[in-house]
Amino acid sequence: MSAASKSFSTVLLGGGVASGYFAREWIKEGGKGSDLAIISDDTVVAYERPALSKAYLFPEGAARLPGFYTSVGVGGERQDPTWYSSHGIEYLTETAIKSADLKNKTLTTEDGTAISFEKLVIGTGARVTRLEDFKTPGADLEGVYYLRKVADADALLEGIAEAKKKGPDVNIVIVGGGYIGMEVGAGLVKHGVNLTLVFPESRLMERLLTPELAGFYEKYYEGKGVKLIKKDLVTALEGTDGKVTTAVLKSGKRLPVDLVVVGTGARPNVELFKGAVDLLEGPPGGIKVDGRLQTSAPGVFAVGDVAAFKPAFTGELTRQEHVTNARLTGAYVAREILTPGTQPEYDYLPFFYSREFDLSWQFYGQSQGDPVHFGDQSSGKFGAYWIKDGTVVGAFLESGSEEENAAIKKVIQTKAKAPSDLQAQGLAFAASL
Ligand SMILES: Cc1cc2nc3c(=O)[nH]c(=O)nc-3n(C[C@H](O)[C@H](O)[C@H](O)COP(=O)(O)OP(=O)(O)OC[C@H]3O[C@@H](n4cnc5c(N)ncnc54)[C@H](O)[C@@H]3O)c2cc1C
C-alpha cells in the first residue's frame, strides 16, 4: 500500500493495538469506512503486540501473523488487510509521517505527500529505550536486539538460529528485570540457550512485586536454568569484527555473549507534536488529554501508550503502557468522534497481566501501601493485596481462574475496606464481595 495525496475526515496516526480497536469500534458503531485512514510506518496492519514477547518466541507452535491481528485478543474478528479494505478503510502501511501541521490539519509523509484531515487521532505509541540512550559503549554492535515490532522478533529469532549454527552453546544476556525481560527470558530459554538476566534492582519487577512474590518467580526462573544477576548493570559491550562478544558489568564481571536483548522500558512518541499540543513534561511524558481523550488542539485526540490522562483511581496524570488501555482508548475515541459527548468520560482501572512458562498473573490497582500476602506458593496459587489507609488499593494473583481474577478486580473497583483477618481470608475475601 502506498500513500496518496488525499483528504480524510478522520485520520489515525499509528498502526498499533489502539488503531485496530478504533477501526473495529468505528465499523461496529456505523462509521463509514471510507471516512477513515490509518497511517503506520510498520509493514503490517495492527496486531496484538503482547504476543511478541510470549508465544511468538516459542521454538515450536509459535504464534505468527495472521494469527494475532487485532482484535483476536478479546475474541473479536481477525482484522487482516482484507478486513480493512472490505470496509473501505484506507490502511497505509510503511508510511512514516515526518511532520504534523495541526493548524492546517495536515500530516506530511517521508516522501512529501500531504494528508489532510478534519479529526486526528494520535496513536503513535512508544518506542523502546535503547542502550544508545544510556550512552552505553558498544551499543551499536551487531547482536544487540530490542523487541517492539514483528520485525524485531524475527531478527532476534534469526540471530539465535545463526548463533546456533556456530555451536551448541549460545549465550544470551537480557538487560532488564521487568516484565519484558522476564517474558523474553521464558520464551528464549526454550531454545536451549544459556540465559542470564542482568538488572540493577534487588529483585525481579521490583516496582510491582514484593520480595516475597519476587522470590517465587526468581526461584522458578532459576529452576528453569536462567541465571539472575541483580544489583548490577551492563555498562559496556565489547565485540570482535563489529559483533558483540562480551557484556561488561558495573561490578567488573565480564559475560561472554552471542546475543544481547535489551528490555529497559519505552518512551512515548510525542516529538511530531511538540509545541502543537500540551505535553506531560519529564518521565513518563506523553500527550495530555482530557476526560474525552481530547488533546489541547481542537479535533485532535490521543490514544494508547502515548496518551497521558488521569484515571479516577489514582488521580494522577500518567500514561498506561498496557494493552487493555490501548484497546479501550481506541474504541472510546471512535465513539467520541462518531457521537460526540454522548458517553461518560473515559476511565481506566490500572490493570496488568503477564504470562511466563506455565505461570500467569494479573494485577489491578496500585502496589502502594502495606502488602498482605495470601495463599501457598507451593500450591502455585497465591497473591497479595496492598492496603492504604484501610482500603485495598492493589491486588495480585498468580494462576487465578477467570472468576478469581474477576473477583480481585472487584476488590479494587469497589475500593473494598480491608478486614482485620484479610491474610487468613485471602482469596476468599475477594470471592465474598
Ligand atoms: C513485546 C511487548 C509485550 C507486551 N506485553 C504486554 C502485556 O503482556 N500486557 C500488557 O498489558 N501490555 C503489554 N505490552 C504493551 C502493549 O503492547 C502496548 O500498551 C500497546 O501496544 C500500545 O498500543 P498503541 O496502539 O498505543 O501503540 P503501539 O502498539 O506501540 O503502536 C504505535 C504504532 O504507531 C507507529 N508510529 C509511531 N510513530 C509513527 C509515525 N511518525 N508515522 C507512522 N507510524 C508511526 C508505530 O510504528 C507503531 O506501529 C507489551 C508491549 C511489548 C512491546
Side-chain angles (χ1 to χ4, degrees):
M1 285 183 253
S2 70
S5 248
K6 280 187 180 169
S7 170
F8 298 91
S9 74
T10 296
V11 167
L12 196 158
L13 174 59
V17 172
S19 77
Y21 284 80
F22 179 101
R24 175 180 189 241
E25 193 73 3
W26 184 267
I27 295 303
K28 200 173 115 209
E29 292 300 314
K32 213 166 128 196
S34 57
D35 282 346
L36 175 63
I38 299 174
I39 304 173
S40 173
D41 57 7
D42 207 342
T43 52
V44 288
V45 301
Y47 51 88
E48 305 284 359
R49 202 171 296 287
L52 296 182
S53 53
K54 302 177 183 67
Y56 202 90
L57 300 179
F58 291 175
E60 276 155 33
R64 286 291 178 271
L65 290 175
F68 61 101
Y69 282 127
T70 67
S71 302
V72 298
V74 296
E77 215 176 326
R78 185 193 290 168
Q79 298 163 211
D80 61 12
T82 316
W83 182 90
Y84 292 94
S85 53
S86 70
H87 286 290
I89 298 171
E90 188 129 4
Y91 202 124
L92 306 173
T93 53
E94 297 180 63
T95 305
I97 293 298
K98 286 296 165 196
S99 67
D101 178 348
L102 297 190
K103 283 209 177 74
N104 291 308
K105 296 187 174 265
T106 306
L107 302 175
T108 306
T109 67
E110 219 164 16
D111 68 5
T113 306
I115 299 177
S116 59
F117 56 83
E118 287 164 34
K119 297 265 191 296
L120 175 67
V121 185
I122 304 171
T124 45
R127 61 180 180 278
V128 289
T129 311
R130 302 179 63 87
L131 289 183
E132 283 88 345
D133 297 325
F134 304 114
K135 303 199 176 358
T136 307
D140 58 345
L141 286 167
E142 200 186 310
V144 181
Y145 296 88
Y146 298 85
L147 194 57
R148 186 81 201 177
K149 299 190 172 183
V150 164
D152 299 331
D154 288 340
L156 170 60
L157 292 171
E158 261 169 49
I160 294 174
E162 277 304 308
K164 280 192 161 180
K165 282 184 197 158
K166 294 183 193 131
D169 251 352
V170 174
N171 296 310
I172 301 184
V173 161
I174 296 183
V175 183
Y179 81 91
I180 292 280
M182 286 176 71
E183 289 187 353
V184 172
L188 295 191
V189 82
K190 293 183 180 146
H191 291 256
V193 299
N194 305 321
L195 205 67
T196 307
L197 258 74
V198 181
F199 49 96
E201 296 86 9
S202 59
R203 58 183 181 274
L204 285 172
M205 290 201 64
E206 191 180 60
R207 270 188 297 164
L208 171 64
L209 300 180
T210 64
E212 196 170 325
L213 293 173
F216 171 86
Y217 294 98
E218 289 174 3
K219 260 190 237 124
Y220 197 97
Y221 270 65
E222 283 165 348
K224 296 283 182 187
V226 178
K227 208 170 153 204
L228 305 177
I229 300 184
K230 306 178 201 177
K231 296 186 188 169
D232 212 342
L233 277 174
V234 172
T235 49
L237 297 175
E238 293 175 359
T240 312
D241 300 331
K243 171 112 188 48
V244 70
T245 55
T246 310
V248 183
L249 308 193
K250 194 174 179 193
S251 60
K253 281 190 191 117
R254 296 173 63 81
L255 308 177
V257 289
D258 297 292
L259 289 88
V260 173
V261 187
V262 184
T264 51
R267 297 178 179 189
N269 290 318
V270 299
E271 288 72 11
L272 277 177
F273 303 100
K274 266 189 181 156
V277 293
D278 289 349
L279 300 180
L280 175 60
E281 298 303 335
I287 295 175
K288 283 189 193 173
V289 289
D290 65 14
R292 298 198 171 274
L293 305 184
Q294 169 108 33
T295 70
S296 57
V300 180
F301 298 80
V303 292
D305 281 9
V306 79
F309 66 100
K310 262 190 207 164
F313 187 80
T314 62
E316 284 163 23
L317 188 64
T318 187
R319 294 186 303 109
Q320 301 284 334
E321 278 184 23
H322 302 159
V323 72
T324 306
N325 178 61
R327 291 170 180 154
L328 293 174
T329 50
Y332 182 94
V333 171
R335 291 191 298 274
E336 198 54 30
I337 292 175
L338 291 169
T339 48
T342 55
Q343 57 186 337
E345 292 197 343
Y346 180 73
D347 199 13
Y348 180 72
L349 182 71
F351 161 65
F352 201 68
Y353 73 91
S354 185
R355 289 194 292 270
E356 301 111 5
F357 299 107
D358 48 1
L359 303 171
S360 165
W361 54 259
Q362 296 207 356
F363 171 77
Y364 292 90
Q366 286 177 299
S367 55
Q368 287 183 1
D370 300 319
V372 173
H373 296 91
F374 60 84
D376 175 8
Q377 290 193 351
S378 64
S379 75
K381 187 170 294 192
F382 59 90
Y385 298 113
W386 281 259
I387 318 298
K388 206 170 150 191
D389 301 326
T391 301
V392 188
V393 296
F396 176 98
L397 180 60
E398 169 59 48
S399 295
S401 66
E402 212 175 302
E403 293 75 31
E404 289 164 338
N405 287 328
I408 62 158
K409 178 180 180 184
K410 196 169 170 201
V411 172
I412 305 308
Q413 247 171 350
T414 57
K415 299 194 170 117
K417 289 284 167 205
S420 55
D421 62 343
L422 181 60
Q423 183 164 25
Q425 285 198 45
L427 195 50
F429 170 68
S432 71
L433 291 183

